[in-house]
Amino acid sequence: QVQLVESGGGLVQPGGSLRLSCVASGMIANDFFMGWYRQTPGKQRELVADIPNGVLRSVRGRFVISRDNSKNMVYLQIDSMKPEDTGVYYCNARDMSENYWGQGTQVTVSS
């Protein structure tokens, strides 16, 4: 079974940047959707970016999702960070019949 592990989270000041990474322990076919979700206290987990669809409109221009198939990884670059970017970011891989989740990485934006 595919396992996903996220990394790259941390504490960042407003205006700073982070690059989140997700590596899959098993090979993921090119037709899998790869995405990033975010969850904050009191809110449902929400999709912020995926491939092939891109990023949520509200974060367009600051968030960039990319995929490196040779390394079996997906990334989320976050620039010009704001406090509302705070949350636990989860990597996700899915196709018609399978759905995999990572354990999440904490992102905190605070001065």
Side-chain angles (χ1 to χ4, degrees):
Q1 183 169 277
V2 171
Q3 291 183 309
L4 306 174
V5 180
E6 305 95 336
S7 63
L11 175 63
V12 182
Q13 293 185 348
S17 297
L18 282 176
R19 189 193 192 201
L20 308 183
S21 300
C22 171
V23 61
S25 63
M27 296 302 297
I28 299 177
N30 192 53
D31 61 353
F32 268 69
F33 281 49
M34 297 291 299
W36 290 92
Y37 287 71
R38 178 176 64 204
Q39 186 161 24
T40 57
K43 299 181 67 176
Q44 296 183 12
R45 189 176 300 181
E46 64 175 348
L47 176 69
V48 296
D50 72 17
I51 293 174
N53 295 305
V55 304
L56 191 68
R57 178 175 291 185
S58 62
V59 300
R60 198 166 296 163
R62 298 192 302 111
F63 285 37
V64 177
I65 186 170
S66 60
R67 184 175 183 175
D68 187 339
N69 292 329
S70 69
K71 297 181 179 180
N72 214 28
M73 296 187 70
V74 64
Y75 307 93
L76 186 67
Q77 177 72 36
I78 312 176
D79 295 326
S80 301
M81 297 189 75
K82 303 177 179 180
E84 55 261 42
D85 297 330
T86 295
V88 179
Y89 285 72
Y90 296 89
C91 184
N92 174 254
R94 68 194 302 264
D95 69 357
M96 292 291 292
S97 60
E98 296 176 282
N99 191 17
Y100 302 101
W101 293 96
Q103 290 296 114
T105 185
Q106 177 71 48
V107 171
T108 303
V109 184
S110 177
S111 59

